[in-house]
Amino acid sequence: MDPTALLLSRFQFAFTISFHIIFPAFTIGLAAWLTVLEAMHMYKGKNVYGLLFEFWLKVLGVAFGIGVVSGVVMAFQFGTNWSVLSRMPGPVQGALLSYTAFALEAGFFGILIFARPRVPPWFYLSSTAMVALGTALSAFWIMVNNSWMQVPVGYVLQDAQFVPDDWSKIIFNRVVWTRFPHMLLASYLTGAVCVAAAGAWYLLRQFHRSESLVMLRMGLALAATLLPAQLYVGHLVGDYVHDYQPAKFAAIEGRWHDQQPASEVLIAIPNAETESSRYEVAIPVFGRKSEPDLKGGRHNQLLAAGRPVAITIFTFRIMVGCGIIMLAVSWLGLTLSIRHALEQSGRAPVVHISQLSPALDCHHNRLVHG
């Protein structure tokens, strides 16, 4: 393949998938939260939950539409950019992608948008739950597909194609059951953080105070609860990378040579030319069996192929750093919420530009006329 075409294909697909993943992750978490809101509105009868449901339903509609459109574009790019990949594992990947629950999501989402006056409350709540279930099911089959690409199992090679031989191995692969919970928790955290951020924004400006407090409290509580679980599941994902993809793990750790037992590298600046890292800060490990023994040989093969190791090192640490910051913020916010300190937060309402126009005109006249 022409190197320029290969590079452009990678850039195009990377841009599309980086843009697309924002919206499925957001809609999976938001759909689940809407189910909670509708249930609380139905059983508690408080109007605040109904108002929040109607507000966030519109946001879900926009995000859902953009996610579908960008996903269709990405599906076409499988064939246009990676035609051989589409042909060879097509019997496996085509089947898995066809199992996604997009029709389930779209059908019940239509009920949420158009049918509230036409169906009983229990059916409307069930429809909301079905949208949340559909988004989670779609995520599951996509993650099964992606996990098979990471660690192919349950197939035989026939006529230059990967043909499924044992679907139970494909679906119940250990890799699936670490990567899917990791993605699902990430989606719920995305929804929780976005809801909390919206609540904080309104609270700081003293707009819709009761609704903003509900958003902020529920978002912070969910984030504070799920983040420790996400960190643990992330550790399990790291274990599978170590076991099945040692070259990738060595790149994440910035490990250029064998080290047994391995130390934990907190931060380092890699230098591919000298095969070393500058300003490395590492935690030594003294013979712990749970720590991986990193071998640098396969990692050096990646370097010889020109792989961008620095991107792997830095993005992994940015991810971990964001998780720690989110954990600290959510726990602090939850503590303030328990102490009822959030009600004391806020500032004077925002002064609109129309209110400032007389003062601006006076200031302008002084500048012009001295």
Side-chain angles (χ1 to χ4, degrees):
M1 185 174 184
D2 180 70
T4 303
L6 177 62
L7 182 63
L8 291 176
S9 295
R10 286 174 173 172
F11 274 129
Q12 185 186 41
F13 196 83
F15 172 79
T16 304
I17 197 170
S18 299
F19 178 80
H20 168 72
I21 191 60
I22 297 171
F23 300 98
F26 178 61
T27 54
I28 291 170
L30 190 56
W33 190 62
L34 285 176
T35 305
V36 175
L37 283 178
E38 182 62 19
M40 296 183 73
H41 180 235
M42 181 176 175
Y43 292 107
K44 289 192 174 183
K46 292 186 178 180
N47 193 43
V48 62
Y49 298 120
L51 292 174
L52 286 175
F53 181 93
E54 295 299 329
F55 171 79
W56 284 103
L57 180 61
K58 298 179 177 66
V59 178
L60 177 64
V62 175
F64 187 84
I66 298 176
V68 169
V69 172
S70 58
V72 170
V73 173
M74 189 172 62
F76 274 108
Q77 286 182 358
F78 276 112
T80 58
N81 295 22
W82 318 112
S83 56
V84 177
L85 174 65
S86 299
R87 179 180 58 82
M88 292 187 66
V92 177
Q93 293 187 286
L96 291 174
L97 290 176
S98 68
Y99 295 154
T100 53
F102 293 148
L104 178 69
E105 301 170 43
F108 283 99
F109 187 74
I111 295 175
L112 299 190
I113 296 293
F114 302 110
R116 181 183 278 276
R118 299 177 176 86
V119 297
W122 68 266
F123 188 82
Y124 194 83
L125 173 61
S126 300
S127 300
T128 311
M130 291 303 292
V131 172
L133 177 63
T135 58
L137 282 175
S138 295
F140 171 74
W141 290 114
I142 291 172
M143 291 307 298
V144 171
N145 180 23
N146 188 270
S147 298
W148 185 87
M149 294 172 65
Q150 303 292 322
V151 182
V153 293
Y155 70 93
V156 293
L157 194 61
Q158 294 180 358
D159 300 326
Q161 282 191 312
F162 298 94
V163 178
D165 180 57
D166 189 340
W167 281 107
S168 63
K169 290 183 179 180
I170 297 173
I171 297 173
F172 298 102
N173 186 359
R174 166 200 165 189
V175 176
V176 175
W177 295 100
T178 54
R179 299 182 78 247
F180 171 62
H182 191 56
M183 184 66 221
L184 196 63
L185 287 172
S187 301
Y188 291 154
L189 284 169
T190 300
V193 171
C194 289
V195 168
W201 191 90
Y202 279 111
L203 184 63
L204 286 172
R205 287 153 181 80
Q206 297 187 354
F207 294 153
H208 311 292
R209 189 170 182 81
S210 59
E211 291 86 353
S212 62
L213 281 172
V214 171
M215 287 190 288
L216 186 56
R217 287 170 177 166
M218 292 182 70
L220 288 172
L222 183 60
T225 304
L226 294 182
L227 273 164
Q230 178 70 322
L231 294 176
Y232 174 72
V233 176
H235 173 73
L236 298 181
V237 173
D239 285 345
Y240 111 74
V241 174
H242 169 259
D243 294 341
Y244 294 102
Q245 299 171 322
K248 180 189 292 187
F249 196 92
I252 290 173
E253 285 295 308
R255 187 65 58 216
W256 303 90
H257 307 286
D258 296 359
Q259 187 181 48
Q260 298 179 342
S263 59
E264 183 69 27
V265 178
L266 300 180
I267 189 66
I269 299 178
N271 189 332
E273 294 181 358
T274 62
E275 294 187 1
S276 61
S277 297
R278 295 176 294 170
Y279 311 111
E280 181 178 287
V281 178
I283 301 175
V285 180
F286 300 101
R288 286 176 52 188
K289 296 295 184 182
S290 60
E291 292 298 327
D293 296 334
L294 296 181
K295 297 184 179 297
R298 295 183 64 184
H299 184 199
N300 292 337
Q301 294 175 10
L302 289 181
L303 296 177
R307 299 295 190 269
V309 178
I311 295 177
T312 307
I313 292 176
F314 291 132
T315 51
F316 176 80
R317 279 149 185 81
I318 290 172
M319 178 189 68
V320 174
C322 289
I324 294 174
I325 293 172
M326 290 168 60
L327 182 66
V329 171
S330 62
W331 280 8
L332 175 61
L334 184 61
T335 302
L336 294 175
S337 176
I338 293 173
R339 296 179 178 177
H340 301 285
L342 293 178
E343 290 85 343
Q344 311 301 323
S345 304
R347 66 185 185 193
V350 174
V351 180
H352 296 283
I353 191 67
S354 59
Q355 298 172 271
L356 294 175
S357 57
L360 291 175
D361 291 340
C362 180
H363 181 64
H364 175 73
N365 291 333
R366 286 200 301 269
L367 289 176
V368 174
H369 301 294

